[in-house]
Amino acid sequence: MIVATGGIVSLRPVLAALEAGKVVATANKETLVAGGHLVMPLARARAAEVAGVRPGDAMASPLAWLRPIDSEHSAIWQCLVGEDLQDVARLILTASGGPFRTWTPEQLAVARPEDALKHPNWEMGAKITIDSATLMNKGREVIEAHWLYDVAYDQIEVIVHPQSLVHSFVEFVDGSLKAQLGLPDMRIPIQYSVTFPQRTAGPAPRLELTEHPQMSFEAPDPQRFPAISVARAAGIAGPGATAALIAADDIAVERYLAGSLTYRGLAELVEAAVSRFSVDHAPDLEELEHIDADVRAWTRQADVGGAPA
């Protein structure tokens, strides 16, 4: 089953598919951000069943059952094939930096939706493009990485790579770095998720390294892009907080696009919702759906973040 919806609407069918022994490839971040504590035990259970009868089989890995399609998580997955997770020191997620990478705080204070939608490297839908501009998408990918690879949050980092040629890195305990490179083209991770464990010829253009002599990397600025810190804090707080995070972000982006929220208000509103609705336990599916509905209703009306002048 390939999942390409937004929101936690996909969580219930993903759980049903895994329970039925179906492979799931997902481009939906919310499935793991809100429900990783429900999804990954099922993926591990399916993998353990295979390992019990066919040790060493490619399907004896949880990632063979819950396959990431996002380019960053596909990159990490490809770097981890054949490796022992115990040997991983760090996961390094790359970010393009979006359209506001070089904007000053003063410029960001008046950033308009039409500015945020001008992504320098990708053509995507409005929601993910805004999340790329705020770097909220990277914060959510940090949470995804925690669940997918069973890695602690302090072992997951984000680095800005404007050229979008290196899709992510894995650093191992011996100091070695592995990376997956390619031109920005989603056909590669989509195809890999479908054909794994085989690779087959595909239509994506090839990366000619001599045509890209410069690749640069920089740390994201937490003052200009606070969404990463908001998402990371929610991830550390647990599934109750991350469920609130994704619902609030959906509505915050809607409001920003509609003109009732400032650019700075995006992260402020999401952080306020997480603080208000976070619970200190791991919610079951029904409670997650209730949190989602309550957060959306509150976020639509909340007087946080301010309307543009």
Side-chain angles (χ1 to χ4, degrees):
M1 182 174 78
I2 295 178
V3 181
T5 60
I8 68 167
V9 65
S10 65
L11 184 53
R12 191 176 288 273
V14 165
L15 293 172
L18 289 171
E19 287 172 348
K22 305 297 183 182
V23 171
V24 177
T26 180
N28 174 286
K29 298 181 188 300
E30 293 85 355
T31 299
L32 287 168
V33 173
H37 62 299
L38 303 176
V39 172
M40 292 313 296
L42 285 175
R44 287 192 287 269
R46 299 289 81 80
E49 291 170 357
V50 175
V53 294
R54 298 193 305 275
D57 190 290
M59 296 302 295
S61 164
L63 288 170
W65 292 92
L66 199 287
R67 304 180 180 184
I69 289 178
D70 276 357
S71 60
E72 297 83 0
H73 286 305
S74 177
I76 292 174
W77 178 26
Q78 292 179 59
C79 290
L80 288 174
V81 171
E83 302 285 356
D84 189 332
L85 281 175
Q86 299 302 313
D87 295 332
V88 172
R90 284 190 304 164
L91 304 179
I92 305 172
L93 296 160
T94 56
S96 69
F100 298 145
R101 182 176 65 87
T102 61
W103 283 41
T104 66
E106 293 74 23
Q107 289 174 307
L108 288 173
V110 293
R112 303 167 300 171
E114 51 265 42
D115 300 318
L117 291 170
K118 295 176 182 177
H119 195 281
N121 298 346
W122 303 89
E123 292 184 9
M124 307 179 290
K127 171 62 167 60
I128 186 60
T129 304
I130 300 299
D131 282 343
S132 181
T134 63
L135 297 192
M136 177 61 81
N137 65 325
K138 292 300 132 181
R140 287 149 58 115
E141 286 169 14
V142 167
I143 300 169
E144 284 185 277
H146 167 74
W147 289 112
L148 277 169
Y149 314 112
D150 196 22
V151 171
Y153 281 105
D154 61 4
Q155 293 176 274
I156 307 168
E157 298 183 16
V158 172
I159 190 169
V160 174
H161 169 49
Q163 296 80 19
S164 295
L165 300 175
V166 179
H167 298 298
S168 279
F169 299 89
V170 176
E171 181 184 306
F172 296 92
V173 292
D174 62 359
S176 176
L177 275 173
K178 289 175 72 173
Q180 188 265 335
L181 285 74
L183 292 173
D185 193 306
M186 285 304 298
R187 288 176 291 186
I188 294 175
I190 293 170
Q191 178 173 304
Y192 187 76
S193 74
V194 174
T195 65
F196 176 83
Q198 284 77 40
R199 289 186 185 270
T200 60
R206 274 36 179 179
L207 171 62
E208 296 293 340
L209 290 172
T210 56
E211 296 177 5
H212 303 272
Q214 293 184 337
M215 287 189 282
S216 60
F217 304 92
E218 60 195 57
D221 181 352
Q223 300 303 315
R224 291 185 297 131
F225 301 102
I228 295 179
S229 298
V230 171
R232 185 183 290 272
I236 293 170
T242 54
L245 176 90
I246 60 171
D249 181 55
D250 276 355
I251 304 306
V253 171
E254 284 183 11
R255 289 185 56 181
Y256 177 62
L257 290 170
S260 69
L261 198 66
T262 65
Y263 174 82
R264 286 178 173 173
L266 284 161
E268 293 174 5
L269 182 55
V270 173
E271 186 174 29
V274 170
S275 176
R276 183 181 183 92
F277 289 94
S278 179
V279 295
D280 59 0
H281 59 273
D284 61 17
L285 178 58
E286 286 71 24
E287 187 177 2
L288 283 175
E289 291 174 338
H290 284 303
I291 292 172
D292 184 80
D294 290 344
V295 171
R296 289 172 186 273
W298 181 82
T299 308
R300 284 191 174 94
Q301 304 297 326
D303 186 18
V304 178

